[in-house]
Amino acid sequence: MTSAPVLQISDLRKSFGSEEVLKGVNLTVQRGEVVVLLGSSGSGKSTFLRCINRLEEPTSGSITLNGNSVTASNANLRTLRKQIGMVFQSFNLYPHLTALKNITLALRLSLGQTRQAAEEQAKHMLAQVGLAEKAHAHPSELSGGQQQRVAIARALALEPQVMLFDEPTSALDPELVGSVLEVIRLLRQRHMTMVIVTHELGFAREAADRIIMMDKGEIVEEGPPEQLFTAPKHPRTREFLKHFTGR
């Protein structure tokens, strides 16, 4: 990891009406780092992710990517969203398009690639997530885990600087979770910078470089997985881990 952060978030705030959902969040992410966000439902994790690529407009605060402002009024959102990939709980695939065409459409619209170049890149990305043989299948012909892997391949095809994952396995049957987590493990081995919201605590402990615990719109604790899981300092962290582990 280098000393220059790829992502710098300072005093990020987001309100919906009179409700302040994010209360001055600060986070620095180094290149190649895997940061996992934990916290109960309503703690602000998903809103935080959506603010990073401005799917939600922050109320105040600043975000920079490689030193360039994400929150500036003149920021180019189209360029920004090529650099910050996002994978959602729901797969957001076009149901009338094959897996291959879901990816080629993104490449042609976002990068202006020719049909041939886009198809070659899409086939390569499907192979990377273990779905080369499903290129011509429609989403309805794929399992939930396969659909999510197509969504990951689509985001990766744009060669982003950072990948955001918002509960990527929460909509999956338990037996399908492993195939998606395996793709994320592979990305970690390739030093992809990632910020991940998940309740898969075993995966978080194994794959994260750093764990962030959020509660009521604030970061209440952060640290290496082993430290946070074995000796949490904040009462909310202890309560959260006890709820999920029973200990």
Side-chain angles (χ1 to χ4, degrees):
M1 294 180 193
T2 63
S3 57
V6 63
L7 193 62
Q8 180 81 50
I9 299 159
S10 301
D11 196 27
L12 190 70
R13 296 177 183 272
K14 174 64 181 178
S15 295
F16 295 100
S18 61
E19 182 183 6
E20 190 174 32
V21 177
L22 298 177
K23 304 173 181 177
V25 178
N26 297 287
L27 181 65
T28 298
V29 181
Q30 301 293 336
R31 188 173 305 280
E33 188 177 19
V34 179
V35 176
V36 170
L37 304 181
L38 298 180
S40 302
S41 297
S43 61
K45 307 181 303 299
S46 293
T47 299
F48 179 54
L49 280 196
R50 292 173 66 86
C51 282
I52 292 175
N53 70 353
R54 287 184 56 185
L55 286 175
E56 293 286 356
E57 284 294 326
T59 302
S60 63
S62 67
I63 303 170
T64 60
L65 178 70
N66 291 322
N68 298 311
S69 177
V70 171
T71 41
S73 59
N74 62 348
N76 187 322
L77 294 185
R78 184 177 177 184
T79 300
L80 163 71
R81 288 173 185 150
K82 296 175 195 173
Q83 298 174 336
I84 304 178
M86 188 158 184
V87 175
F88 302 87
Q89 298 177 34
S90 54
F91 321 123
N92 290 357
L93 300 178
Y94 292 107
H96 63 291
L97 298 179
T98 63
L100 185 73
K101 289 183 178 178
N102 263 280
I103 300 172
T104 57
L105 180 64
L107 288 167
R108 298 190 71 193
L109 290 179
S110 296
L111 302 184
Q113 289 189 359
T114 65
R115 184 183 301 276
Q116 181 178 351
E119 286 192 358
E120 288 178 1
Q121 174 76 344
K123 288 176 181 177
H124 173 71
M125 296 314 304
L126 285 170
Q128 293 293 302
V129 298
L131 291 175
E133 78 285 358
K134 298 293 186 180
H136 300 294
H138 287 79
S140 62
E141 301 172 295
L142 301 173
S143 70
Q146 289 170 335
Q147 290 183 60
Q148 189 62 292
R149 283 185 279 158
V150 172
I152 293 172
R154 180 177 59 185
L156 290 173
L158 301 180
E159 299 182 345
Q161 297 288 311
V162 178
M163 282 287 290
L164 310 177
F165 291 88
D166 186 10
E167 293 280 10
T169 61
S170 67
L172 302 180
D173 293 332
E175 66 269 21
L176 302 177
V177 168
S179 65
V180 174
L181 296 183
E182 190 55 40
V183 171
I184 300 176
R185 289 187 185 96
L186 182 62
L187 295 179
R188 185 184 192 280
Q189 292 171 11
R190 296 176 180 173
H191 307 292
M192 170 62 74
T193 307
M194 293 184 280
V195 182
I196 305 169
V197 171
T198 185
H199 282 110
E200 298 288 339
L201 297 191
F203 171 76
R205 188 169 188 167
E206 166 203 343
D209 294 304
R210 186 161 40 122
I211 302 284
I212 305 292
M213 180 67 195
M214 290 189 69
D215 184 54
K216 297 179 181 177
E218 299 177 292
I219 294 175
V220 297
E221 185 169 358
E222 64 179 283
E226 203 58 32
Q227 171 191 312
L228 194 132
F229 277 98
T230 60
K233 298 176 182 177
H234 196 279
R236 284 296 293 123
T237 309
R238 293 196 291 269
E239 183 181 336
F240 176 85
L241 293 175
K242 182 179 180 181
H243 174 76
F244 277 93
T245 64
R247 295 199 300 264

